[in-house]
């Protein structure tokens, strides 16, 4: 057990289970180590499985293996954005007396004086503090359970009609563990309640108050959404550069592997940097594995920021961007022939983080030479290093741009929906490993099974990797069926998402790729009231193939 990381045995899943059975015989830490290695290897070597590809499910499966490990901190994955309640719009305007009652309690006499004179005039002055007071009271009541409003960007501004005002605010979701802040802006229709106050008659949907939207930056900036600061940090000066200590991972064999491996490896590097108290030099270029691209081939040149929240990462861990870093390094090095920036090249992962702890070189450059799997980043964190290095899961959140789409989809269904997860794809075709899956997820079987778990005529969101849109038509006789493709305008060429990702991509449109689809689909699924899973609820087949459960 002294070298549990030998890779030949590692793809063999049953060993894990045997190891679990023999736990009492084995030294516990060695067990943890081997389970870890085996689990990772098992994940790495599975064919691309979109349903494994969310950091939540990855962390879940890992933390199930290691209940008290650090993998629990994946709060981004459950970014419940249930605050997008436009419960009001389909209903008739709320009873005036009701809203008025709450509104008047907050309005102070001083508000009256400023507006009392104009009270007879019908047009609304949105900057009147009484308007904001009415909106505030209204929101506090409607969003009480789902969000905490942090601040309003006062004052509200006029909407297109004289009785409308658009207001904007920042909020935090109560259903989400992360401290992430979001922004919403909505359109309100108000009426004067009495001479001192207003009442909100109706409120628009998520981000309906376009006039209160934060101003866009100039096109030249890489930052079209004022809410998301993805910019690449620049190192201020030569002095700052020389003072810094860096950990630089050259591109390894992980490149173009699945997103799970990317996350697992990236967090290993970030964890080592933290252990060594160094700034991590990161490559924002991501290669998307062919399992998630339309072409079926690996596609290089994707941006980390399409998938993950770089702003949060910058705030959580010291990182610099690779190209920026290399440019500075070259520049400062050339200028001073004598005072070279010290570099230590580390050829193999076999040099452990502990051995590097005392190294004073400015740059530690891990090279990842050699054939696979010798050149995987995550191997640095194997073996004895696993005891010292913790992967900083909390630093990696999903892209806020994707989460905004999730919020919008949930909001369209008034957050009142159930969901069924229908896994098909290559698993449905493989009768050896999943003998019943295809039949159990056939259109007729779906109707029978879902009816036994979800009340008819509910909103039913179907998260699936089944590409044929009309596959679920039979459910439509019993449910209001929603599929991801019903919302394609949210990433279509007139969407905010499209504009923003295009700006990150040097003005070229970005495809809404398979990984993004899975990310959004899964997050919408997690927020449903009732969730029907494929494995367990629809079929007795095991998630990972025959005899694995
Ligand atoms: C995890 O930690 C809790 C409390 O810290 C403890 O009760 C539990 O036994 C631990 N579980 C394992 C598997 O170590
Ligand atoms: C105010 O609204 C309540 C319902 O919330 C209703 O029962 C009541 O009759 C209303 N009062 C008036 C004066 O309209
Ligand atoms: C209301 O304001 C108008 C000017 O906008 C002024 O002429 C008028 O005297 C004011 N009335 C009262 C009651 O203050
Ligand atoms: C609207 O109200 C604000 C604040 O009370 C005031 O400064 C402004 O002059 C008003 N505008 C109009 C058009 O009455
Ligand atoms: C509001 O103003 C109207 C005149 O515009 C007046 O008749 C009424 O009594 C006032 N109501 C209150 C509650 O001040
Ligand atoms: C964006 O973040 C960087 C730090 O990463 C900061 O220097 C910059 O001022 C921020 N820009 C804005 C507009 O907040
Ligand atoms: C980490 O590095 C910073 C500067 O890079 C230094 O100020 C700090 O003392 C270091 N902390 C430890 C624990 O070595
Ligand atoms: C946007 O997409 C639609 C259909 O996909 C296409 O007809 C239209 O020309 C596109 N518009 C732009 C500005 O690219
Ligand atoms: C996207 O950008 C185009 C051109 O810059 C602009 O006309 C359009 O309003 C933007 N769309 C959104 C939703 O921001
Ligand atoms: C799905 O199966 C699990 C495990 O058997 C069960 O706990 C859950 O209630 C089922 N879900 C539904 C919607 O019936």
């Amino acid at each position: 057990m002294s070298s549990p990381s030998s890779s030949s045995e590692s793809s063999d899943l049953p060993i894990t289970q045997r190891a679990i059975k023999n736990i009492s015989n084995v030294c516990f830490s060695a067990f943890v180590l081997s389970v870890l290695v085996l689990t990772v290897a098992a994940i790495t070597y599975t064919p691309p499985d979109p349903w494994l590809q969310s950091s939540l499910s990855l962390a879940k499966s890992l933390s199930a293996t290691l209940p008290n490990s650090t993998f629990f901190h994946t709060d981004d994955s459950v970014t419940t954005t249930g605050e997008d309640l436009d419960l009001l719009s389909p209903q008739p305007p709320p009873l005036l007396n009701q809203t008025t009652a709450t509104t008047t309690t907050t309005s102070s006499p001083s508000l009256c004086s400023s507006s009392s004179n104009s009270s007879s005039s019908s047009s609304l002055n949105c900057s009147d503090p009484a308007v904001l007071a009415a909106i505030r009271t209204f929101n506090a009541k409607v969003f009480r359970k789902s969000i905490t409003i942090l601040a309003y960007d006062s004052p509200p501004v006029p909407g297109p009609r004289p009785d409308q005002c658009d207001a904007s605010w920042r909020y935090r979701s109560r259903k989400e563990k992360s401290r992430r802040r979001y922004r919403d802006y909505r359109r309100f229709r108000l009426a004067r309640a009495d001479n001192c106050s207003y009442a909100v008659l109706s409120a628009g949907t998520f981000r309906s108050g376009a006039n209160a939207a934060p101003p866009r930056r100039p096109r030249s900036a890489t930052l079209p959404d004022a809410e998301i600061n993805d910019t690449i940090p620049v190192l201020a000066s030569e002095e700052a550069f020389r003072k810094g200590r860096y950990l630089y991972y050259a591109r390894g064999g992980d490149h173009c592997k699945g997103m799970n491996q990317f996350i697992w490896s990236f967090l290993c590097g970030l964890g080592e940097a933290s252990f060594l108290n160094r700034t991590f030099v990161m490559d924002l270029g991501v290669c998307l594995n062919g399992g998630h691209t339309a072409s079926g081939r690996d596609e290089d040149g994707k941006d980390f920021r399409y998938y993950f929240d770089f702003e949060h990462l910058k705030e959580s861990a010291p990182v610099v961007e690779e190209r920026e870093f290399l440019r500075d390094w070259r520049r400062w090095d050339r200028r001073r022939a004598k005072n070279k920036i010290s570099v230590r090249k580390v050829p193999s992962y076999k040099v452990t983080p502990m051995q590097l702890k005392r190294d004073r070189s400015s740059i530690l450059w891990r090279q990842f030479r050699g054939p696979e799997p010798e050149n995987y980043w995550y191997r640095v964190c194997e073996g004895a290093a696993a005891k010292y290095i913790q992967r900083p899961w909390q630093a990696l959140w999903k892209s806020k741009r994707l989460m905004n789409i999730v919020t919008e989809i949930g909001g369209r269904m008034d957050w009142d929906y159930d969901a069924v997860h229908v896994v098909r794809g290559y698993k449905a075709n493989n009768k050896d490993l999943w003998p019943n899956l295809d039949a159990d997820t056939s259109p007729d079987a779906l109707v029978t099974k879902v009816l036994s778990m979800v009340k008819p005529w509910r909103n039913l969101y179907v998260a699936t990797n089944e590409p044929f849109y009309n596959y679920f038509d039979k459910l439509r006789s019993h449910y209001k069926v929603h599929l991801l493709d019903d919302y394609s305008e949210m990433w279509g060429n007139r969407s905010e998402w499209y504009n923003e990702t295009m700006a990150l991509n040097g003005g070229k449109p970005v495809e809404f790729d398979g990984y993004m689809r899975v990310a959004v689909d899964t997050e919408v699924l997690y927020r449903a009231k009732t969730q029907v899973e494929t494995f367990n609820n629809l079929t007795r087949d095991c998630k990972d193939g025959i005899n694995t459960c």
Side-chain angles (χ1 to χ4, degrees):
M1 274 323 266
S2 60
S3 63
S5 57
S6 116
S7 59
S8 57
E9 66 176 55
S10 53
S11 60
D12 206 354
L13 199 63
I15 291 178
T16 319
Q17 287 160 348
R18 227 178 303 139
I20 291 171
K21 290 204 182 101
N22 295 339
I23 177 169
S24 49
N25 305 336
V26 195
C27 145
F28 183 69
S29 66
F31 162 70
V32 166
L33 216 79
S34 63
V35 168
L36 209 142
V37 169
L38 294 167
T39 313
V40 172
I43 287 164
T44 308
Y45 294 123
T46 22
D49 177 349
W51 305 111
L52 268 178
Q53 304 277 335
S54 95
S55 55
L56 177 67
S57 62
L58 173 64
K60 257 190 187 162
S61 61
L62 290 167
S63 51
T65 321
L66 300 165
N68 287 355
S69 72
T70 52
F71 306 137
F72 272 131
H73 304 285
T74 48
D75 44 8
D76 85 300
S77 306
V78 211
T79 35
T80 305
T81 39
E83 65 296 328
D84 179 25
L85 296 169
D86 35 32
L87 294 170
L88 312 145
S89 40
Q91 288 171 0
L95 292 166
L96 207 61
N97 79 349
Q98 205 179 347
T99 338
T100 309
T102 44
T103 311
T104 29
T105 55
T106 56
S107 62
S108 61
S110 66
L111 295 180
C112 284
S113 55
S114 66
S115 53
S116 57
N117 184 1
S118 57
S119 64
S120 53
S121 93
S122 60
S123 93
L124 186 65
N125 178 357
C126 291
S127 24
D128 185 336
V131 168
L132 183 58
I135 291 174
R136 217 182 255 280
T137 311
F138 177 83
N139 281 351
K141 211 162 123 189
V142 171
F143 299 136
R144 184 168 33 99
K145 289 202 179 127
S146 53
I147 68 172
T148 306
I149 295 188
L150 302 168
Y152 285 87
D153 306 322
S154 56
V157 297
R161 282 176 24 192
D163 61 343
Q164 291 176 331
C165 296
D166 290 2
S168 154
W169 57 87
R170 288 157 179 278
Y171 65 88
R172 198 167 269 157
S173 170
R174 288 183 192 267
K175 293 182 185 166
E176 180 178 333
K177 279 186 229 149
S178 88
R179 308 277 295 159
R180 185 185 248 177
R181 289 145 49 116
Y182 293 90
R183 187 194 291 272
D184 193 1
Y185 33 92
R186 294 184 188 231
R187 182 152 295 161
F188 294 88
R189 198 156 69 81
L190 296 104
R192 189 166 275 287
D194 61 30
N195 297 340
C196 298
S197 64
Y198 293 93
V200 172
L201 299 180
S202 65
T205 54
F206 183 65
R207 294 198 168 175
S208 51
N211 292 355
R216 306 205 153 253
R217 281 155 212 256
R219 276 193 70 84
S220 58
T222 54
L223 197 59
D225 182 344
E227 269 313 286
I228 302 179
N229 185 355
D230 279 296
T231 48
I232 294 168
V234 286
L235 298 169
S237 64
E238 173 171 1
E239 200 195 346
F241 186 90
R242 284 181 182 275
K243 259 199 210 145
R245 294 278 176 275
Y246 303 94
L247 176 65
Y248 177 27
Y249 275 28
R251 198 168 268 188
D254 315 87
H255 202 65
C256 298
K257 295 288 186 299
M259 207 56 109
N260 276 348
Q261 183 166 344
F262 172 81
I263 293 170
W264 189 246
S265 284
F266 175 72
L267 289 177
C268 168
L270 209 56
E272 187 188 21
S274 157
F275 171 75
L276 297 175
N277 192 21
R278 283 172 179 266
T279 299
F280 190 64
V281 180
M282 70 173 287
D283 180 2
L284 281 177
V286 169
C287 174
L288 187 65
N289 183 266
H292 286 308
T293 60
S295 63
R297 285 188 299 274
D298 297 349
E299 286 178 11
D300 211 342
K302 303 282 183 185
D303 195 300
F304 180 87
R305 294 169 289 183
Y306 302 163
Y307 310 103
F308 303 104
D309 185 337
F310 185 54
E311 178 176 21
H312 172 67
L313 179 67
K314 282 191 290 186
E315 287 166 3
S316 315
V319 292
V320 291
E321 193 268 334
E322 181 184 28
R323 265 180 297 179
E324 193 75 30
F325 168 82
L326 291 177
R327 207 188 52 210
D328 285 347
W329 181 8
R330 250 175 250 130
R331 186 163 50 154
W332 308 132
D333 229 14
R334 198 177 307 129
R335 203 176 287 175
R336 302 269 190 90
K338 279 184 194 156
N339 187 9
K340 286 279 183 197
I341 291 161
S342 52
V343 187
R344 167 153 175 209
K345 291 186 183 174
V346 184
S348 162
Y349 73 91
K350 287 173 184 148
V351 181
T352 66
M354 294 75 84
Q355 289 166 314
L356 297 173
K357 183 77 176 162
R358 287 163 175 254
D359 196 293
R360 302 316 311 159
S361 313
S362 290
I363 301 171
L364 284 179
W365 188 357
R366 282 199 179 269
Q367 315 239 290
F368 299 98
R369 299 247 167 84
E372 293 186 24
E374 299 288 296
N375 61 358
Y376 288 164
W377 285 8
Y378 70 73
R379 308 218 57 181
V380 169
C381 297
E382 287 177 349
K387 277 192 237 132
Y388 295 90
I389 295 184
Q390 301 205 327
R391 283 182 172 77
W393 283 97
Q394 71 286 352
L396 197 68
W397 289 0
K398 288 201 175 92
S399 157
K400 202 168 174 181
R401 296 190 178 91
L402 291 179
M403 295 312 300
N404 278 332
I405 294 179
V406 172
T407 304
E408 209 170 336
I409 294 177
R412 294 269 185 98
M413 292 185 280
D414 290 346
W415 296 103
D416 187 20
Y417 64 97
D418 301 321
V420 56
H421 190 181
V422 181
V423 177
R424 289 185 50 79
Y426 71 92
K427 287 188 176 176
N429 291 328
N430 187 331
K431 296 281 193 301
D432 294 336
L433 288 176
W434 295 276
N436 306 306
L437 179 63
D438 189 27
D440 286 340
T441 57
S442 70
D444 289 314
L446 278 175
V447 169
T448 316
K449 296 197 171 172
V450 175
L451 275 174
S452 72
M453 291 176 266
V454 179
K455 284 198 212 105
W457 296 114
R458 292 272 300 155
N459 283 317
L460 183 70
Y461 186 85
V462 182
T464 186
N465 59 349
E466 167 60 49
F468 181 47
Y469 181 84
N470 293 106
Y471 190 83
F472 302 98
D473 280 356
K474 286 202 168 158
L475 285 169
R476 292 181 194 274
S477 322
H478 306 274
Y479 296 102
K480 286 176 257 174
V481 172
H482 304 256
L483 289 160
L484 184 59
D485 279 327
D486 297 334
Y487 301 96
S488 57
E489 85 276 1
M490 290 179 192
W491 57 86
N493 61 12
R494 299 164 61 116
S495 67
E496 211 170 297
W497 181 90
Y498 180 87
N499 278 7
E500 291 174 10
T501 51
M502 188 157 79
L504 291 179
N505 196 29
K508 290 192 294 289
V510 174
E511 179 203 341
F512 192 75
D513 62 48
Y515 188 75
M516 298 168 185
R517 292 181 66 91
V518 172
V520 171
D521 227 15
T522 319
E523 293 294 323
V524 175
L525 171 81
Y526 287 153
R527 286 163 180 69
K529 290 193 169 160
T530 304
Q531 293 166 31
V532 178
E533 274 297 340
T534 298
F535 301 101
N536 274 335
N537 298 124
L538 296 178
T539 181
R540 272 173 300 121
D541 284 357
C542 301
K543 192 172 177 189
D544 298 319
I546 204 155
N547 293 335
T548 60
C549 58

